[in-house]
Structures are given as structure tokens and as C-alpha cells.
Amino acid sequence: MSYISKPKVTHPGLPRNELGMTIREYEGGMSTLCAGCGHDSVTRALVQAAFELSIPPHRMAKLSGIGCSSKTPAYFLRQSHGFNSVHGRMPSVATGANAANRDLFFVGVSGDGDSLSIGLGQFAHAVRRNLNMLYVIENNGVYGLTKGQFSASADIGSTAKKGEENLQPPMDPCQLVISLGGSFVARSFSGDKEQLVPLLKAGLMHDGFAVVDVISPCVTFNDHEGSTKSYQYTRDHYHPAIFADYIPPSEEIRAQYDEGDAMPVTLHDGSQIVLRKADPDYDPGDVASAIEYLQRHRDAGEIVTGLLYIDEQKPEMHALNKSVAEPMSSLPFQRLCPGSGALKSLQDRFR
Amino acid sequence: MKPTDTSNPDYFHKVVDCQWACPAHTDVPGYIRLIAQGRFSDAYMLNRKSNVFPAILGRVCDRPCEPACRRGRVEEKPVAICRLKRVAADNRGDITDRLPKIPATKNGKKVALVGAGCASLAVANDLMPLGYECVMFEALDRPGGLMWTNIPAFRLPPEVLQEEIDMILNMGVDLRLNTPIESMQALLAEDYDAVFVGTGAPKGKNLEIPGRYDDEAHVHIGIEWLESVAFGHIDKIGDRVLIIGVGNTAMDCCRTSLRLGAKDVKVMARKPRGFFKASDWELEDAEEENVEIVINHSPKEFVIEDGKLVGMNFDLMEYDIDDNGRITDTRSVGEEFFPCDDVVLAIGQDNAFPWIERDIGMEFDKWDVPVVDRRTHESTLKGVFFGGDAAFGPENIIWAVEHAHQSAISIHKHCHGEDVADRLPDGMSLATVKMGIHEWSYSNDYEGAERMIVPHVSLAERFKQLNIEVELGFDAEQAATEVERCLNCDIQTVFAAKLCIECDACVDICPVDCLTITANGSEEELRGRLQAPATNLEQDLYVSGELPQTQRVMVKDEDLCVHCGLCAERCPTGAWDMQEFSLFHPHLKDELSPDAPGKFRKYGT
Ligand SMILES: Cc1cc2nc3c(=O)[nH]c(=O)nc-3n(C[C@H](O)[C@H](O)[C@H](O)COP(=O)(O)OP(=O)(O)OC[C@H]3O[C@@H](n4cnc5c(N)ncnc54)[C@H](O)[C@@H]3O)c2cc1C
Ligand SMILES: Cc1ncc(C[n+]2csc(CCOP(=O)(O)OP(=O)(O)O)c2C)c(N)n1
Ligand code: SF4
Ligand code: SF4
Ligand code: SF4
Ligand SMILES: [Mg+2]
């Protein structure tokens, strides 16, 4: 932990976004995580994504559970709303918040322990609900905060820092989410911001539950030889399948793409994601083929990254529930709570 | 790019912008930290080692360090380096017992020093501790050269000057006042082992235009006039004074005129602002005293009526200036008359050596000044050395001091039959300043305060006497804040590529975006695609060897690093470390000890 905060000085040539803000205005408090923790890089990537999208900080809500990963919302967008919930229960709190104010950008930051162990049930149902939010799993194969126990994403045969081997099969959040009917599934690496930042931007703009599984090494408890979530191992087994370029609505697609390889997906606000396939036989719009591809490469020991699955047509929570278009938090009290008379007449309909 | 060769002392030295810019390579951040700790005597001694005259220079140094200071790039104004030097000098304790010891037994070598200006004095300062017998000849009746004849007492109080001169004279220098050397040939015939010429650039430039000699009593040559004022021969001037020229001498002339009773003083500049030779701070001080600076007026003639000077005519100039700020065309668009009672010419100085015979084997160049070697300071006549303004024309005190250090080395080598060109190169040492996980032995937090302003004596007070020092110096609180503005540029970011795991922590935390991990490329191309473009070509890129995991490179743009140490704090492997750089810039005493570079140590570390 640093004793000083990041100096307020900046590079004089620092660019400004559409709101006239510099990236520094999207930062948060000083991180108290271990030096070199992958989570800090994901934090930085989120800062960059929000800055580049010119999101007004007060229009964003950050939510998390418990874990080192879950501490990170304190380190970005200091002017945003935030809620640090109970271990594994962030999806419920996020659901409530989103139900109340659908106009905010929601970002959840969770860990492999928070989402795949204690919070798996909550997580699975948020996927099914297609809650409109960006849900980042900072995946390091361990419970970092409690000193490095194996999590549900640890691979069979990988070892803890002191040599103990993991014998239980791992869970792949990406395969899981695709099979649960998720609408946006991506994987990336904290050490590859070129890939990560566009994915986070696409996830923020996606209309529905956008899961980004980020391999984010725990430098203190899981960055050793026997680890399969270390910086070195991730780089050695990195397999980018699809590159995603995020193109805001105001811009035209200018880059030249090879026909067949490029696949533009238009988002609800008119922005586009152009998917460039590294592998021509991969189809990120097809559930069966995506799951098959992920399993095949996982068996081969590869870490497949990129925007792995997307379906922009699936209705998100508010569409599913036909809720009002304006945020409930802005409705006049009378409309939100029509009184006992209205309740009675509703109940009468079921008699 | 090839990996940066940081074993060359110049690399990290350049990062310490102030120290690199200082002709004597004073360890600026080192002494600023000592001041911060209240160790004023230590700070004074660290200064004295390089620049010999800290109290004098803390007031009147030309301060090439300040325009170079990194702080001036990070925000608007540089650290008040010069004024902090004064803080060290004003607050120091008795340092008598820390001055070099003078051996009782002499080494049998005798050196003649011609002139008793700062150059000769600094040579004596280096030679005396080695047992040399130094005989210093001075034409005037006081030592100090231009420091006392020309630099006005309201900028440099005589007691301050005298004290630092005495530190050297008290080493046992054989000073012979009122003894102008009139023949080099005769001097060489005496039993000196070497001769050092520190006679300055004594000739003030003249302005040969009509009327120049028609009322000589009211047309003065700046440096001669200031000298007469210093001697008390001149103690008044007319009401309306025109100063011709806009260099530092002009600033001293206009301010001195005000103190001699002038009511209306105008400094007449041929060119527009931006082309002025005077330092910004000297201009500011003059303008604070309501001196008017008139631009674009080129002197045409003195106007004399009945044998008396009544004013001057000027050509009104117009200039075409290109995008690079260079003048491409000049023309006169009219004429203007300015009435005045006196004129002071402050348009420069020349070297003159009427006392050196041209047939004694010393080569003179086409401007009739001796050919002098830039490094050894030796003339073409073996054993005769030049330093200060006498060497390469008028410069300043700090250059004279550095010339003196280098000349002393040469004189010693010459006296001992060694090759004067065979000298120790610069060296350096680096030592980590890590104290704990996130603790450093320097104050790495960023002080956001703007440059402190030195308080001045009020306008009402300061003109009452000629010798009232205008600047009061920083008070304790100002000094305490100003020292923290220093960015500790000598605390270097040192990178060990083999330790880096490419976690990006350093890149992410850097407040000024100076770090990038990227594929290698040519310098030009790399500069364009860093985290923030590296547009200041005077500042180097620090490029690592290949990183172990991806074979990319770490690139640091040295330009704006604030030496906050956060990169090293956030680095999990210690690939970045903060290390204190100490420059080894050899002086004469270092040449004597065979293991000098290893022995080198800073005060305070
Ligand atoms: C008006 C003015 C203001 C200045 N202000 C500053 C300032 O603020 N800061 C700064 O850094 N620099 C300043 N300078 C420049 C600075 O004073 C000189 O660069 C510096 O003094 C040079 O030192 P020196 O030892 O080479 O020569 P000098 O200081 O000129 O000393 C030479 C000495 O040699 C003596 N001498 C000459 N010929 C003989 C001879 N034949 N025999 C015996 N003795 C002889 C002279 O009498 C003189 O005492 C200023 C200069 C001027 C003119
Ligand atoms: C209800 C509850 N059970 C257990 C814990 C203890 N606990 C704190 S953090 C954590 C695991 C966090 O792991 P992960 O989500 O992967 O975060 P990381 O620290 O690895 O980023 C556990 C089990 C808790 N805080 N609350
Ligand atoms: S314990 Fe691991 S996950 Fe937690 S802050 Fe340290 S490196 Fe990051
Ligand atoms: S010390 Fe490191 S983090 Fe601080 S400004 Fe310099 S490079 Fe950046
Ligand atoms: S913090 Fe250290 S290990 Fe990480 S990228 Fe920077 S130098 Fe390399
Ligand atoms: Mg974890």
C-alpha cells in the first residue's frame, strides 16, 4: 500500500473526451491491493473504457461482493455511485438497483470465488434475468483476500503456493454463461489492455448481461510455477479467437476488414462491435459451436479469449418484465405507489 | 532502439536537468534535501565543493539551472534553486573547520594568478590545499573583479562578497593589490611554474555614432561607469537617463541610475521582447522599479546643443519574424527623438590583452584573442592557462568557477610533468533509496504549491541608499515549501528488465504517463506511440532490453517523470527501483587519489 496518493500533476498533452474530461477524472482512490495484482490493471482498463465512452461518472453505479476483486470499485470512478455488498450477493443488489433506475450504467466487479463459489446461484440467475449490466469476473483461481485457497476456477493439477495440488474440476464461467442462455460472453487478460478495453466498452454498451471473465493473476498467492493462472502461464497458453473493435454510433467503420472474417454487430444505441475472427470456423453467434470450440481448446490447454458469444436480440430484464420505460426512481410517488385502492382492484382480478 | 546504456554517467546525469545545466554540475537536489532537513551547513559545503561561492551565487548567479528545471515543464515555474542556495548560505553555522586544510609544508610549486576575480580565486581555492604557493596580481586595490566593481551592492552586499573571498585568501594566498601585470614576457621570466590568466573581459563596447564625443561627460560606458560608482567616484546622474542595450549590464545600469537620483530612466532596445539578452528575472526587477523598456529603437545619433547633450535620435525599427521566431527582415520605418541628460552604453564587453606580447609564442586568433583549449584551458604557450571571461569571452561567475576547477587540474599536471589532456572522466554511483516496502529515504510526495516569491524591500525604502539589498531572501516557511517543490530528479528510476513480469502496474500508476510496454521500434516511431507522445526531443527515451515474457520493451520518456517512486512502489518484483544518482565530476583533489570514483560520496548520504 502506498502512503502517498497519485500526484495531481498530469501530462500536459492529456486528451479530453466528449465531456471535456481527462482520464484522471475517471480514477478512484489509491489501491490497497498487492503491488502487481492483475486487478489493478483491470481497474485501469475500466477507467479507460469509461473515459473513452465519455460516460458521465455520476451516471454509473459500481457494485461488488467480497474479495480483493470486489474491493476494486473503490479505485475507479470516484464520483460514481457504489455498493459493496455481501459475499456473492452482488447480483441481487444489482438487480434491485437496476430495477429502480434503469438509466444508469451498471458495473459489477466480482471474483472467481465471489461468483463461482458462494455466489454461483445468484450469478446464474442474473444471467437468466439478462440484467442490463457489465459483470466483470477478476479470475485468479484463488481466494486472494483470504490468502490463496483454491477457488472453483482452479485447474486440476495446478498447485497452491506451498505445493498442494487441486483435484476438483474447474468451472469455466464462459461456458457456464453460454449454457445458461447468456447474451454476451467474453474473456480477456489483465495484461492485455488492447483486447480488454474494447471488450469492456462493448460490454457497457450491450443491452443485457455482459460477462467479461478476465484472467487477473494474484501476484501474491498464485503467480508461481505450478499455477495455471499466472502471468507467464496465461501468456504461454493465450489463444485469442476473436478480436472485437468497439465503434461508437457517431463514427463510421473506417478500417478495412477482410470479407468473411469480419462480423459487425449493431448495439441498441447504434454503436457497433466489429468482430474479427482469428479462427474462420468459429461462430460467436451459435451456442453449440461456441461451447464446442471452448471445450476443444480447453482440452488442448489453451485459454481462449475475445468476444466469445453475443446475441443482441435477447430481451433484457426490463423488456422481459415489460416495466415502464422511464426509471422508476423518477416516477412520481402516486404512480409508483398507487395506494390501497389500486392494490385492492389488482387483487380482485385474481379472485 | 538499442537498450539504453545507463553505464555512461551522462545518461542519468541528463535526467538531473539542473545539475546537467549547471556549468559546475552542482548537486542541486542533494543540497535542496539537506536544506529540507535543516542541515544548512552541510548544504552550504555541498554547494561550495562545486561552485565555491554559494552565498554570492545564491544572490547573483545567472542560474542556467532554473530554465532547465523539470518543474518548469511539469507546471509553470521552476524551483527557486538559486534562492534556496541563499537560504543555505544565510542560515549556515560556522564552517571554518570544514574548509580545506592548508599544508604547512609547501609542495615547492609556485603559480602566478593574474587578476583577482572569481576565476583566479577559485583556482587558488583548488591549488592551495595541495601546498601550492599562489601569487595573485590585481590591478585594482581590492580583490573580487567584476563581482565588486560591476555587480551593484543592492544585489550583492559587500560583506557577503568579502566573506567568501576571504575564505580563499585566508588559505595563504599571496595577494598583490595595485599591481597590474604589464608584460607577460616579464612575468614568464620570473620563477613561476605556471601562469593562470583570469583578467576578465575588461573592455566595454563603444557606440560609434555621430555626436559620440561631443559631450563625453554625459555619455558613459556601462562597465566603467558601474566601476566608478562602486569606487565612489561617481555619486550622481542627471534626471533623465537613457540606457542603450538590454542585457544584464543594462539592468544594473538602469537600477543604479535610479539610486543615484535619476527620475526617468528608459532602457532602449533595438529589438522586440523575446530577443532581449537580459534574464527574465533581471527584467522583472527593473520593471518593478518603474524603469521603462522601449523596444524597436536603434540608436542613430547623439543630439548636442551648445556642446551639451540634450537627447538622442533613434531609428524606429520593424522586423519580420518567421514561425521559428527568427528575424527574417529588418527595416527602419521612422525616426524618434528622446530627450535625456545622460546616456549609459551597455552593449557588451570585449576581451583585450594589451599586456601580452604577440611575439612570445602564444597564438592569437582572428579576433586577436589567445587560442585556448576548451578542456584543458591551456594556451598554445605551454604552462599558461586562461579561465573566466578571459578564456572565451564574457560569461558569468559560475562558468568562471568551472573554468577554474578545470584549469587547476591542468596546472597541477603541468607542474608535475604530466600530460594535461590525460584527465579522469566523469563517473557516477547509484544506490537504492528503499527503506521499507513503500518507504523511501526521500520525500516522494508531490508538493502542489506554486513557486514562492522572494520578498523585496519596499520601493519607498530601497532607493534611500545605494547598497540596500533589495531581496530579503525566503522566510523559514517559504523555504520549507519551496524545497518540497523539488522533484528529486537525482533519485533515478532504474529498471531491471529480467525481473519484469509485465503486470502493467507501473504503467497504470504513473501520474504523468511516462511508461509504456510495447514492441520495439525506431526512436522516431516509438516516440509517437507511447502512452503519451514523447514530443520533447531534448529528453531521452530510456529503453530496456527484451522483457522475458513477451519480448516487448519497457520505454520510459524521461521528460515529465516527477520521481514520485510510485512505479517502484507498485512493482511486485523490484524491476523498478528508485536509486540515488551521485555524479563524480573530478576536481583536482580527486585526480590525486587513485581510487577516487569509488571513494566519492555525497554529504548527507
Ligand atoms: C554589470 C555586470 C553585471 C554582472 N552580473 C552578473 C551576475 O549577476 N551574475 C553572474 O554570474 N555574472 C555577472 N556578470 C559577469 C561576471 O561578473 C563575470 O563573468 C565574472 O566576474 C568573470 O570573472 P573573471 O574572474 O573571469 O573576471 P573579472 O571578474 O573581470 O576579474 C578580473 C580581474 O582581473 C583584474 N585585471 C585585469 N587585467 C589585469 C592585469 N593585467 N593585471 C592585474 N590584474 C588585472 C581586474 O582588475 C579584475 O579584478 C556581470 C557582469 C557585468 C559587467
Ligand atoms: C459469507 C462469507 N463467507 C466467506 C467469507 C470469506 N471470504 C472473503 S473473500 C473470500 C473469497 C474471495 O475470493 P474471490 O472472489 O476470488 O476474490 P479475490 O480475492 O481472489 O479477488 C472469502 C471466502 C466472507 N467474507 N463472507
Ligand atoms: S492477494 Fe492476490 S488478489 Fe489479493 S490483492 Fe494481493 S495479488 Fe491481488
Ligand atoms: S517515478 Fe515512476 S511513476 Fe513516478 S512519474 Fe516517474 S516514472 Fe512515473
Ligand atoms: S510493475 Fe514491475 S513487473 Fe510490473 S510491468 Fe512494471 S516493471 Fe514490470
Ligand atoms: Mg479470486
Side-chain angles (χ1 to χ4, degrees):
Chain A
M1 195 186 102
S2 291
Y3 299 121
I4 67 167
S5 45
K6 191 165 167 172
K8 289 267 174 334
V9 277
T10 54
H11 193 287
L14 220 52
R16 291 182 181 273
N17 65 12
E18 284 164 21
L19 301 176
M21 293 166 80
T22 69
I23 194 165
R24 295 297 300 273
E25 287 157 282
Y26 285 81
E27 291 176 350
M30 279 297 275
S31 169
T32 57
L33 302 184
C34 304
C37 178
H39 301 352
D40 280 337
S41 277
V42 182
T43 294
R44 184 68 192 177
L46 282 163
V47 167
Q48 200 177 327
F51 161 74
E52 287 175 9
L53 290 173
S54 296
I55 294 177
H58 68 286
R59 301 307 298 158
M60 180 178 272
K62 315 169 289 184
L63 301 108
S64 66
I66 296 292
C68 297
S69 32
S70 295
K71 286 171 69 177
T72 64
Y75 313 140
F76 58 86
L77 280 93
R78 62 165 63 81
Q79 302 178 76
S80 297
H81 309 276
F83 199 105
N84 187 210
S85 79
V86 190
H87 201 11
R89 270 61 174 182
M90 174 261 277
S92 306
V93 178
T95 303
N98 188 312
N101 188 351
R102 61 186 295 175
D103 267 7
L104 296 179
F105 286 90
F106 290 90
V107 180
V109 185
S110 179
D112 42 333
D114 196 60
S115 287
L116 304 180
S117 297
I118 195 169
L120 184 61
Q122 296 243 332
F123 175 59
H125 291 288
V127 174
R128 292 184 54 249
R129 225 173 269 142
N130 205 18
L131 182 61
N132 187 12
M133 75 183 295
L134 167 66
Y135 192 101
V136 180
I137 302 175
E138 298 181 346
N139 190 345
N140 53 16
V142 287
Y143 300 162
L145 191 70
T146 53
K147 300 204 162 203
Q149 301 83 355
F150 290 123
S151 77
S153 71
D155 288 308
I156 292 180
S158 69
T159 62
K161 203 174 184 182
K162 289 206 170 147
E164 184 199 352
E165 217 176 302
N166 176 49
L167 303 173
Q168 296 183 59
M171 232 181 256
D172 173 354
C174 293
Q175 282 184 348
L176 179 69
V177 173
I178 297 172
S179 67
L180 286 170
S183 57
F184 180 112
V185 182
R187 180 157 32 230
S188 189
F189 169 40
S190 67
D192 184 2
K193 287 200 199 65
E194 257 171 66
Q195 185 196 52
L196 178 56
V197 173
L199 288 175
L200 295 175
K201 283 160 71 175
L204 275 164
M205 301 313 294
H206 169 68
D207 207 19
F209 199 64
V211 176
V212 184
D213 174 35
V214 189
I215 309 299
S216 174
C218 170
V219 77
T220 301
F221 297 110
N222 206 14
D223 195 38
H224 46 268
E225 283 270 296
S227 164
T228 57
K229 295 272 190 295
S230 65
Y231 284 106
Q232 181 79 60
Y233 187 95
T234 307
R235 290 199 165 102
D236 290 349
H237 298 79
Y238 207 50
H239 178 96
I242 303 215
F243 300 99
D245 301 328
Y246 174 81
I247 291 142
S250 53
E251 267 177 46
E252 281 172 44
I253 300 178
R254 275 196 225 94
Q256 288 290 314
Y257 293 105
D258 281 343
E259 193 109 17
D261 292 354
M263 193 179 128
V265 178
T266 305
L267 305 183
H268 65 107
D269 69 335
S271 59
Q272 288 193 304
I273 307 171
V274 178
L275 301 174
R276 288 176 288 128
K277 300 191 217 174
D279 231 329
D281 52 309
Y282 183 70
D283 182 0
D286 182 81
V287 172
S289 114
I291 291 184
E292 186 274 334
Y293 186 89
L294 289 175
Q295 186 60 42
R296 185 154 44 88
H297 284 85
R298 184 174 157 191
D299 291 344
E302 284 171 344
I303 302 165
V304 178
T305 63
L307 213 180
L308 305 173
Y309 178 80
I310 181 165
D311 181 351
E312 203 46 26
Q313 306 315 318
K314 285 188 184 164
E316 55 78 50
M317 183 181 76
H318 285 280
L320 278 171
N321 290 295
K322 304 191 182 61
S323 44
V324 284
E326 65 260 56
M328 289 194 212
S329 60
S330 66
L331 294 180
F333 183 75
Q334 282 74 8
R335 261 186 84 195
L336 206 54
C337 183
S340 47
L343 178 65
K344 189 162 180 300
S345 70
L346 180 74
Q347 284 169 332
D348 286 345
R349 282 169 48 197
F350 297 100
R351 280 190 215 283
Chain B
M1 287 177 77
K2 287 213 185 66
T4 304
D5 176 15
T6 55
S7 66
N8 179 347
D10 282 358
Y11 182 76
F12 284 133
H13 187 185
K14 264 182 89 173
V15 174
V16 196
D17 299 279
C18 49
Q19 190 176 17
W20 178 257
C22 173
H25 302 317
T26 306
D27 179 2
V28 175
Y31 81 69
I32 291 182
R33 279 195 297 275
L34 290 171
I35 296 171
Q37 295 165 26
R39 294 167 61 186
F40 302 114
S41 298
D42 290 342
Y44 181 86
M45 291 311 290
L46 183 58
N47 262 293
R48 190 177 190 283
K49 188 169 85 70
S50 302
N51 58 47
V52 185
F53 303 109
I56 296 171
L57 290 166
R59 291 169 166 82
V60 301
C61 187
D62 248 1
R63 23 178 165 150
C65 53
E66 290 194 15
C69 172
R70 172 179 307 258
R71 183 90 190 194
R73 302 197 294 274
V74 169
E75 47 130 323
E76 240 166 82
K77 293 245 171 86
V79 174
I81 299 171
C82 184
R83 274 30 184 179
L84 286 174
K85 198 189 306 291
R86 172 172 172 182
V87 168
D90 285 359
N91 294 287
R92 70 172 168 83
D94 181 9
I95 47 92
T96 326
D97 59 350
R98 296 176 68 168
L99 293 173
K101 301 280 168 299
I102 308 306
T105 3
K106 298 290 159 188
N107 71 353
K109 305 288 180 192
K110 193 167 155 194
V111 178
L113 307 169
V114 189
C118 47
S120 291
L121 286 163
V123 171
N125 178 70
D126 283 8
L127 291 179
M128 289 303 293
L130 270 73
Y132 280 86
E133 190 185 333
C134 294
V135 183
M136 195 179 283
F137 299 98
E138 169 56 52
L140 302 176
D141 70 358
R142 277 186 59 172
L146 292 179
M147 292 192 295
W148 97 268
T149 59
N150 265 244
I151 300 183
F154 58 82
R155 288 205 291 128
L156 177 59
E159 346 39 284
V160 173
L161 176 61
Q162 196 59 47
E163 187 173 26
E164 288 192 324
I165 291 178
D166 284 345
M167 282 183 201
I168 297 168
L169 295 180
N170 292 344
M171 292 174 179
V173 176
D174 180 357
L175 173 65
R176 304 193 187 162
L177 296 173
N178 303 311
T179 315
I181 296 297
E182 268 141 11
S183 160
M184 176 64 100
Q185 195 163 23
L187 187 66
L188 290 172
E190 291 180 42
D191 60 343
Y192 294 103
D193 295 288
V195 173
F196 175 80
V197 180
T199 49
K203 214 173 76 189
K205 282 195 176 136
N206 203 349
L207 185 64
E208 300 285 359
I209 54 173
R212 168 68 183 83
Y213 300 104
D214 295 345
D215 183 8
E216 282 201 68
H218 294 106
V219 181
H220 318 277
I221 293 196
I223 65 166
E224 290 169 11
W225 179 74
L226 285 170
E227 182 176 320
S228 303
V229 174
F231 273 104
H233 300 332
I234 289 183
D235 57 9
K236 56 177 181 300
I237 196 159
D239 282 353
R240 298 162 306 170
V241 181
L242 296 181
I243 313 286
I244 311 298
V246 67
N248 286 341
T249 302
M251 296 303 111
D252 283 338
C253 291
C254 65
R255 297 179 70 193
T256 300
S257 304
L258 288 172
R259 283 156 179 81
L260 296 185
K263 303 276 177 314
D264 171 10
V265 182
K266 290 188 171 63
V267 171
M268 308 301 294
R270 238 163 20 94
K271 292 181 186 168
R273 249 169 221 276
F275 292 89
F276 294 177
K277 288 219 177 82
S279 322
D280 290 343
W281 50 88
E282 301 236 11
L283 286 163
E284 264 169 40
D285 288 345
E287 290 189 301
E288 177 185 316
E289 296 182 355
N290 298 320
V291 168
E292 189 187 343
I293 297 177
V294 181
I295 60 166
N296 298 347
H297 282 72
S298 181
K300 189 164 196 213
E301 62 190 346
F302 294 90
V303 181
I304 312 285
E305 277 171 16
D306 304 328
K308 197 184 161 305
L309 177 74
V310 292
M312 279 183 80
N313 275 324
F314 293 85
D315 277 323
L316 191 51
M317 307 303 290
E318 208 175 76
Y319 301 93
D320 293 334
I321 297 170
D322 69 10
D323 291 345
N324 298 322
R326 274 189 303 253
I327 291 180
T328 52
D329 199 21
T330 306
R331 62 199 155 267
S332 162
V333 291
E335 201 183 295
E336 203 175 341
F337 173 77
F338 283 80
C340 69
D341 304 308
D342 279 275
V343 172
V344 183
L345 303 175
I347 50 176
Q349 282 160 267
D350 279 328
N351 290 47
F353 300 94
W355 56 282
I356 301 181
E357 294 80 357
R358 300 302 192 259
D359 58 355
I360 52 172
M362 186 183 290
E363 195 185 323
F364 278 69
D365 66 16
K366 61 178 167 185
W367 296 282
D368 201 33
V369 292
V371 175
V372 176
D373 185 279
R374 286 259 163 204
R375 209 158 106 81
T376 66
H377 290 262
E378 192 165 34
S379 67
T380 57
L381 193 58
K382 296 286 159 235
V384 180
F385 303 88
F386 286 72
D389 289 357
F392 314 111
E395 266 165 322
N396 53 34
I397 302 170
I398 190 68
W399 267 115
V401 168
E402 178 58 13
H403 290 175
H405 286 312
Q406 296 308 321
S407 300
I409 294 175
S410 301
I411 290 170
H412 177 77
K413 292 197 179 272
H414 171 80
C415 288
H416 291 81
E418 292 167 24
D419 179 2
V420 291
D422 177 22
R423 313 158 83 88
L424 281 180
D426 278 4
M428 64 151 177
S429 64
L430 288 168
T432 185
V433 291
K434 205 176 176 73
M435 299 279 282
I437 300 187
H438 292 142
E439 255 186 297
W440 309 99
S441 66
Y442 72 109
S443 121
N444 61 329
D445 204 357
Y446 182 83
E447 167 62 66
E450 285 176 19
R451 181 180 166 116
M452 297 287 113
I453 295 166
V454 183
H456 285 182
V457 173
S458 73
L459 282 175
E461 278 303 308
R462 70 173 72 157
F463 298 120
K464 289 187 175 161
Q465 262 172 358
L466 193 53
N467 58 358
I468 294 178
E469 187 175 15
V470 170
E471 291 197 6
L472 295 168
F474 284 138
D475 65 30
E477 259 170 60
Q478 286 183 307
T481 305
E482 191 63 29
V483 286
E484 292 300 327
R485 293 183 72 243
C486 169
L487 298 171
N488 299 286
C489 299
D490 62 334
I491 310 292
Q492 306 280 348
T493 53
V494 180
F495 187 67
K498 64 177 190 302
L499 294 178
C500 176
I501 57 170
E502 298 167 62
C503 68
D504 278 358
C506 53
V507 177
D508 293 342
I509 196 72
C510 179
V512 284
D513 295 298
C514 50
L515 304 176
T516 311
I517 299 179
T518 185
N520 206 342
S522 70
E523 171 159 0
E524 201 195 348
E525 187 253 338
L526 264 182
R527 279 183 177 273
R529 63 173 162 86
L530 298 180
Q531 194 80 357
T535 48
N536 184 350
L537 301 181
E538 277 167 28
Q539 292 284 322
D540 288 333
L541 296 186
Y542 179 5
V543 183
S544 77
E546 282 187 354
L547 300 180
Q549 293 195 10
T550 64
Q551 288 72 52
R552 294 177 297 170
V553 287
M554 175 73 76
V555 185
K556 181 188 176 205
D557 175 12
E558 295 284 9
D559 188 21
L560 295 172
C561 169
V562 295
H563 299 264
C564 64
L566 284 175
C567 50
E569 282 189 22
R570 300 309 298 169
C571 177
T573 65
W576 281 114
D577 189 23
M578 303 307 289
Q579 299 187 0
E580 183 174 5
F581 162 86
S582 303
L583 176 71
F584 171 69
H585 182 57
H587 291 158
L588 174 51
K589 70 172 181 359
D590 302 310
E591 290 277 347
L592 297 181
S593 80
D595 55 349
K599 263 192 176 169
F600 178 65
R601 202 173 69 85
K602 277 192 198 182
Y603 294 87
T605 49

